[in-house]
Amino acid sequence: MGKLVSTLFVTLDGVYQAPGGREEDTRGGFEHGGWVFPYADEDFGQFINEVFERPGAFLLGRRTYDIFAAYWPKVTDPADPVASKLNALPKYVVSSTLTDPEWAETTVISGDLAKEVTALKERTDGELQIHGSGALVRSLLAHDLIDTLHLLTFPVVLGTGHRLFAEGAVPTKFELTAGRTTSKGVAIHSYHLAGRPDYGTFGLPENA
């Protein structure tokens, strides 16, 4: 059974919207698209290449799928570690409206999300990887279906934009399994989901 692994870029204030380009996702009048670009360096590239050594298939939300499908099929260098995997491996996109995807090896998922993704994990050899797709990640976290979360936190605050963990997120505990920092200050942390949070108190004992 494959593991479901999410890789997400967020700002210090939790924004995940439009990391890759100015016009990538302008919902809500978002004007800060492309905030990852200034922080791309060798360390960042090395981590991304490591991630793309392990996929067996990809699971994407509709918005991220459309962004990827408009870009990666045009990258035809067989030595490109990202394009070669994204173009060749099975891709599953969660959508109730997409019916005829043009990107090769794409299957649309429109039924029960938890049931469909559980079945995908069972039949995937290697990692079932999610890239971006913040809304989908939130839904899958709520179903306890994500095994590993790679969270790349960039040293920038934007003040507006769609946030990964908004009000009403399911309380979730994580276990840190790896961490590193790039030369430009991007904090890369890998977490395993570890159930629900534990609680305690620092209050004085009643008989003190």
Side-chain angles (χ1 to χ4, degrees):
M1 181 173 179
K3 288 187 175 183
L4 185 54
V5 179
S6 167
T7 300
L8 262 167
F9 305 157
V10 297
T11 65
L12 287 176
D13 54 339
V15 174
Y16 71 87
Q17 186 174 358
R22 297 287 295 176
E23 304 301 320
E24 191 175 68
D25 180 1
T26 58
R27 285 176 297 165
F30 189 65
E31 298 178 345
H32 304 291
W35 45 270
V36 161
F37 182 81
Y39 301 98
D41 62 4
E42 186 176 342
D43 296 335
F44 174 76
Q46 180 179 342
F47 178 79
I48 296 301
N49 288 344
E50 290 171 8
V51 168
F52 276 88
E53 290 174 356
R54 301 187 294 265
F58 298 98
L59 175 65
L60 301 169
R62 173 65 189 273
R63 190 173 300 275
T64 299
Y65 175 82
D66 285 346
I67 292 167
F68 279 19
Y71 179 83
W72 289 109
K74 301 173 184 176
V75 182
T76 57
D77 180 1
D80 187 300
V82 176
S84 60
K85 296 293 178 63
L86 280 172
N87 288 322
L89 290 175
K91 290 167 287 292
Y92 301 91
V93 55
V94 179
S95 175
S96 59
T97 57
L98 181 63
T99 56
D100 189 21
E102 296 181 1
W103 197 4
E105 302 297 327
T106 295
T107 300
V108 177
I109 292 176
S110 58
D112 183 282
L113 181 65
K115 183 178 179 180
E116 295 270 11
V117 172
T118 298
L120 278 181
K121 289 175 66 174
E122 290 175 350
R123 66 173 183 262
T124 298
D125 183 16
E127 292 182 355
L128 177 60
Q129 292 189 352
I130 310 175
H131 294 274
S133 311
L136 175 60
V137 169
R138 284 199 302 271
S139 296
L140 294 170
L141 284 170
H143 288 293
D144 295 321
L145 284 171
I146 291 180
D147 298 290
T148 299
L149 173 63
H150 299 306
L151 198 63
L152 284 72
T153 305
F154 290 73
V156 61
V157 169
L158 299 178
T160 61
H162 289 272
R163 286 164 169 79
L164 178 58
F165 296 116
E167 188 78 17
V170 174
T172 306
K173 179 173 65 174
F174 297 86
E175 175 190 355
L176 180 68
T177 57
R180 67 177 91 166
T181 304
T182 72
S183 69
K184 292 193 175 181
V186 179
I188 303 173
H189 292 113
S190 298
Y191 301 95
H192 285 168
L193 262 70
R196 298 291 168 251
D198 302 313
Y199 304 95
T201 181
F202 288 105
L204 291 172
E206 291 185 5
N207 297 325

